Amino acid sequence: MMYLLLILTIVSPAHAWQSIEDWGSGSVDSSVDEFGQCVCNVFLPDTSFPADRVEHMQISSNELSVEVKVQINKVESLKGQLVILLSELSNLTARVEILESGPDKYIKLEFELLRIELREFEALVTQLKTSLNISSPAIDSLYIEIRNMSLIVDQLESYDQSNLEVIRIEFAKLQKKLEKCQDDKDDFSNAQIGSCKHGGILRIGKPIVSQLNADLNAGYKYGGWGKDSKPLPGSENMNWYSGFTDTLVSRITLYADYYKLIMRQGFSTHELYLVNKYDWRGTGNNYIVRANTLYYQFRSPFSMAKYNMTSKTAEYKVVPEATTRFSYHYSPNQNLDFAADETGMWVTYATEESNGKLVLGKIDEESFALEEVWQTSVYKQSVTNIFMICGVLHATRSVDTQTEEIFYTFDTNKNEESHVSIRFEKFQDFYVYLDYNPTDQKLYMYNNGYYVSYNVKFRDA
């Protein structure tokens, strides 16, 4: 049996759907191969069909199909990410709504309570000031702190709950200061300013620590601060400060009031290095400001000097027999110690003739000379400092690192000396400056670089 195999070899391609009749114009060859099969070769004359382009289109179609699938996968992936982002956005929106509603729920109420407490604090300080009928750095400082706290409350009201802890801490500190003021109110002076109708010091109040010196330098251990003991009109509230790393006296800064002192906003600084082309620097730490004039110990020659901060002029006057051999217990170069009280201005020193015992001199302010001198029995080097109140010298000494004691007095009105024991607390052990100011009846101490003050309580006359 013979099988017929038809093999079409398309030399010039024809359309697959073309009918047999259309092939008539071509030629067909036939033959039998070695296996007895019939093989036919059909040759088409039409060469217009673009077979190569169809093949390219098929390849491009396959590549495009693959690319579409890749893009579809990307879209599916982006869709998944979009779902996640929409979910996170919904959570974020919910959190923002909570934050927006939070202040109405808890912060607003808390801040309103803080404002109520501040008003109570202010009323308490006002009542305290009225009952005492005086102005003091402690009370002024409390007013400033209350005012600053009010500003802080306003600024932080829009913030989160954690800021309330900061305010609570500050409120706790403020509360303690108010309580301390209430506890110490019995230590405020009971004598009229400028009057000596009392029986002397009964006790010294607790130390009121303002802050580190205006240079904000713990190394500035030597210096002093305070108020003008005889202020010019308009300068009643003026404060001053001078400090350095050693006992050199080279500069003094003035502040309009206590608040400006604390804020380190001085309005005038005077340098003693070149005053009228001359070096007017001094030494020691026991200077005072009186009638806008700095009284201090001059270096060369060793003498008392004064620098008028109004006219910017200086002069010195040698103190007869005064020596540089005997300084106070705490610090060197404290040989001339100036003081002021209700009765005028004073200076203490030691002489070789007195064998180092303390000598007290009253200064005539017009002539800038000693008008009267008293010899005491107390050895100067055993004394840590002195101050004057109503013509009475008060000498101090150290009891321990936390306690100071007024142990000796000399009354120039009666020419009498006494041994007493009036103890008071120190902020820190080392101090170089201690003076009384008759304009507010307070003691001012420069204690290891810090501003410290004390209220004085007097005995009834």
Side-chain angles (χ1 to χ4, degrees):
M1 179 179 293
M2 182 178 288
Y3 294 94
L4 178 65
L5 176 63
L6 179 65
I7 299 176
L8 297 178
T9 301
I10 304 175
V11 177
S12 179
H15 196 279
W17 308 110
Q18 191 173 6
S19 63
I20 294 297
E21 292 80 325
D22 295 335
W23 294 2
S25 60
S27 62
V28 177
D29 291 333
S30 64
S31 63
V32 178
D33 64 10
E34 60 181 339
F35 298 104
Q37 297 175 337
C38 183
V39 179
C40 295
N41 295 315
V42 179
F43 298 91
L44 299 177
D46 185 7
T47 61
S48 63
F49 188 82
D52 55 339
R53 291 166 61 186
V54 171
E55 183 181 4
H56 179 70
M57 183 185 68
Q58 288 176 337
I59 295 172
S60 298
S61 177
N62 290 335
E63 291 177 351
L64 183 60
S65 177
V66 173
E67 181 67 22
V68 168
K69 289 180 180 179
V70 171
Q71 296 300 325
I72 289 174
N73 290 335
K74 287 183 178 180
V75 169
E76 292 293 333
S77 176
L78 290 172
K79 181 180 178 181
Q81 294 181 26
L82 182 60
V83 171
I84 295 173
L85 290 173
L86 287 172
S87 176
E88 291 181 353
L89 182 60
S90 298
N91 293 335
L92 181 60
T93 302
R95 290 168 61 190
V96 170
E97 290 176 352
I98 293 173
L99 289 175
E100 289 178 344
S101 63
D104 293 333
K105 291 181 179 179
Y106 56 91
I107 293 182
K108 184 174 181 180
L109 177 60
E110 297 245 22
F111 277 97
E112 188 57 35
L113 291 174
L114 293 175
R115 285 194 178 90
I116 293 173
E117 288 188 41
L118 275 173
R119 286 195 290 269
E120 291 176 352
F121 285 169
E122 185 175 359
L124 182 59
V125 174
T126 301
Q127 181 181 6
L128 183 62
K129 186 175 182 178
T130 302
S131 64
L132 296 171
N133 195 28
I134 64 167
S135 177
S136 74
I139 293 178
D140 294 340
S141 179
L142 283 173
Y143 269 118
I144 293 168
E145 289 193 47
I146 290 173
R147 183 170 57 187
N148 290 339
M149 284 296 296
S150 298
L151 293 175
I152 292 173
V153 169
D154 292 338
Q155 292 171 355
L156 295 184
E157 185 174 11
S158 60
Y159 295 132
D160 56 53
Q161 180 75 16
S162 62
N163 287 295
L164 290 172
E165 287 302 316
V166 177
I167 298 181
R168 288 193 185 100
I169 293 172
E170 295 301 320
F171 261 72
K173 293 179 181 178
L174 189 59
Q175 181 69 44
K176 288 182 179 180
K177 289 186 177 182
L178 283 167
E179 291 173 354
K180 183 178 180 180
C181 263
Q182 286 184 295
D183 294 338
D184 292 347
K185 66 182 181 180
D186 288 338
D187 290 330
F188 283 91
S189 173
N190 55 331
Q192 185 178 354
I193 297 294
S195 172
C196 291
K197 294 181 178 179
H198 53 73
I201 296 177
L202 175 63
R203 60 176 173 268
I204 305 295
K206 292 184 178 298
I208 302 170
V209 183
S210 298
Q211 68 169 41
L212 188 63
N213 57 69
D215 293 287
L216 299 181
N217 191 328
Y220 279 43
K221 298 180 182 295
Y222 301 92
W225 77 291
K227 295 179 68 177
D228 193 319
S229 63
K230 189 180 179 182
L232 301 178
S235 301
E236 291 80 6
N237 296 320
M238 186 184 76
N239 280 248
W240 61 269
Y241 155 72
S242 179
F244 203 54
T245 54
D246 58 32
T247 58
L248 183 67
V249 182
S250 61
R251 179 182 61 190
I252 182 171
T253 302
L254 307 179
Y255 305 84
D257 50 37
Y258 177 77
Y259 176 76
K260 296 294 185 181
L261 173 80
I262 298 303
M263 298 303 293
R264 301 166 52 233
Q265 297 174 350
F267 71 85
S268 179
T269 297
H270 297 268
E271 300 284 352
L272 298 176
Y273 178 57
L274 287 178
V275 178
N276 296 327
K277 300 181 180 181
Y278 192 78
D279 186 353
W280 280 94
R281 287 179 295 179
T283 187
N285 306 278
N286 289 283
Y287 29 75
I288 62 169
V289 174
R290 187 169 176 83
N292 208 41
T293 299
L294 173 67
Y295 290 86
Y296 63 102
Q297 176 181 305
F298 194 36
R299 291 190 304 169
S300 180
F302 169 62
S303 57
M304 59 182 186
K306 65 177 182 177
Y307 170 71
N308 189 308
M309 291 181 283
T310 303
S311 62
K312 297 183 180 180
T313 58
E315 64 177 291
Y316 70 87
K317 186 69 65 74
V318 174
V319 179
E321 300 179 350
T323 179
T324 60
R325 275 216 309 134
F326 305 97
S327 183
Y328 283 149
H329 175 73
Y330 276 140
S331 174
N333 296 324
Q334 291 182 307
N335 302 303
L336 299 177
D337 183 3
F338 294 88
D341 65 1
E342 292 82 356
T343 65
M345 194 167 68
W346 309 79
V347 63
T348 59
Y349 54 96
T351 66
E352 296 291 343
E353 184 179 0
S354 70
N355 295 318
K357 291 182 179 179
L358 198 65
V359 177
L360 173 63
K362 181 73 177 291
I363 298 176
D364 182 288
E365 296 181 54
E366 292 295 328
S367 62
F368 192 39
L370 299 185
E371 63 180 35
E372 194 171 358
V373 172
W374 292 264
Q375 177 67 60
T376 74
S377 63
V378 64
Y379 190 59
K380 189 172 186 289
Q381 289 184 317
S382 68
V383 175
T384 54
N385 226 292
I386 72 98
F387 58 90
M388 300 291 298
I389 297 181
C390 292
V392 179
L393 178 145
H394 298 74
T396 62
R397 65 184 176 188
S398 176
V399 176
D400 54 45
T401 58
Q402 297 179 333
T403 310
E404 196 77 0
E405 179 186 47
I406 301 172
F407 74 100
Y408 174 86
T409 63
F410 186 93
D411 190 341
T412 61
N413 304 298
K414 302 176 181 178
N415 204 27
E416 293 179 352
E417 60 181 9
S418 301
H419 293 275
V420 299
S421 178
I422 303 173
R423 297 189 175 189
F424 58 98
E425 180 183 342
K426 287 182 289 189
F427 170 59
Q428 293 186 24
D429 180 27
F430 180 78
Y431 77 91
V432 296
Y433 179 90
L434 182 67
D435 258 314
Y436 170 80
N437 194 296
T439 66
D440 56 11
Q441 298 177 325
K442 291 182 178 298
L443 288 174
Y444 289 85
M445 175 186 285
Y446 191 73
N447 192 178
N448 210 18
Y450 285 83
Y451 303 146
V452 182
S453 60
Y454 296 86
N455 296 313
V456 179
K457 182 74 171 183
F458 295 107
R459 301 179 185 275
D460 293 333

